[in-house]
């Protein structure tokens, strides 16, 4: 079950990154990969390809760890469902959104090179805040679909999927 949850979290993080890229193409400044990666590169490399790749790797790793947390919570939920996953995703968005407001105190490139993200990405505008919350809700729903014990049983009954 843990391997399934970790992989589901990585899949969710990858889809989160892809959706963020589409949002950027649509003009919504979703730059969480650069924000995370520039923690490793520092201010001088904050907007480069290296920062993006390191941020994407960090996002996938954190996604896997979050998949474990979601899986554990869903394992103790009487009836794990997409709505339960959406609720967990909303809670996740609120917690992560509050933590984003603290970034300027902790990040070497914020706000000098990268603008402060603000509470729920509000520093990037209303569209970014909406996309941020929706992506987290979607992540939660995906975790309910892929990482819950019910999903694992269905995959095992169908003869596929990671069941470890």
């Amino acid at each position: 079950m843990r391997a399934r949850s970790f992989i589901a979290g990585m899949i969710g993080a990858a889809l989160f990154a892809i959706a963020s890229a589409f949002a950027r193409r649509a003009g919504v400044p979703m730059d969480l990969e650069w924000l995370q990666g520039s923690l490793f590169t520092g201010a001088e490399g904050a907007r480069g390809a290296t920062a993006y790749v390191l941020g994407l790797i960090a996002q996938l790793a954190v996604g896997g760890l979050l998949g474990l947390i979601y899986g554990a919570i869903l394992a103790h939920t009487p009836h794990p469902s997409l709505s339960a996953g959406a609720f967990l995703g909303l809670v996740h968005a609120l917690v992560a959104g509050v933590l984003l407001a603290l970034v300027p105190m902790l990040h070497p490139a914020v706000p000098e090179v990268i603008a402060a993200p603000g509470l729920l990405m509000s520093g990037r505008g209303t569209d970014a805040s909406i996309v941020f919350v929706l992506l987290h809700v979607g992540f939660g729903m995906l975790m309910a679909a892929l990482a819950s014990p019910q999903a694992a049983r269905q995959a095992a009954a169908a003869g596929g999927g990671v069941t470890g």
Side-chain angles (χ1 to χ4, degrees):
M1 185 66 196
R2 284 181 282 190
R4 178 181 191 82
S5 296
F6 189 84
I7 291 168
M10 289 185 71
I11 291 168
L15 292 174
F16 192 108
I18 291 167
S20 293
F22 278 110
R24 280 192 300 277
R25 297 284 291 170
V28 180
M30 294 294 294
D31 60 354
L32 292 173
E33 297 87 3
W34 280 284
L35 192 63
Q36 294 171 16
S38 60
L39 282 169
F40 302 104
T41 64
E44 55 281 346
R47 285 291 180 192
T50 301
Y52 180 82
V53 170
L54 290 173
L56 184 58
I57 291 168
Q59 188 166 332
L60 293 173
V62 169
L65 295 174
L66 288 168
L68 292 173
I69 294 168
Y70 274 79
I73 292 170
L74 290 165
H76 292 90
T77 302
H79 303 287
S81 62
L82 292 180
S83 59
F87 177 75
L88 286 175
L90 181 60
V91 170
H92 177 188
L94 295 175
V95 171
V98 168
L99 292 175
L100 283 174
L102 304 176
V103 166
M105 293 184 278
L106 307 169
H107 197 295
V110 175
E112 289 78 18
V113 178
I114 300 176
L119 180 69
L120 292 170
M121 293 292 283
S122 61
R124 306 287 192 274
T126 304
D127 290 346
S129 295
I130 292 168
V131 169
F132 179 81
V133 171
L134 290 176
L135 288 178
H136 281 86
V137 169
F139 182 90
M141 293 172 72
L142 185 67
M143 292 306 97
L146 298 179
S148 71
Q150 178 182 359
R153 285 191 297 275
Q154 289 172 347
V162 178
T163 58

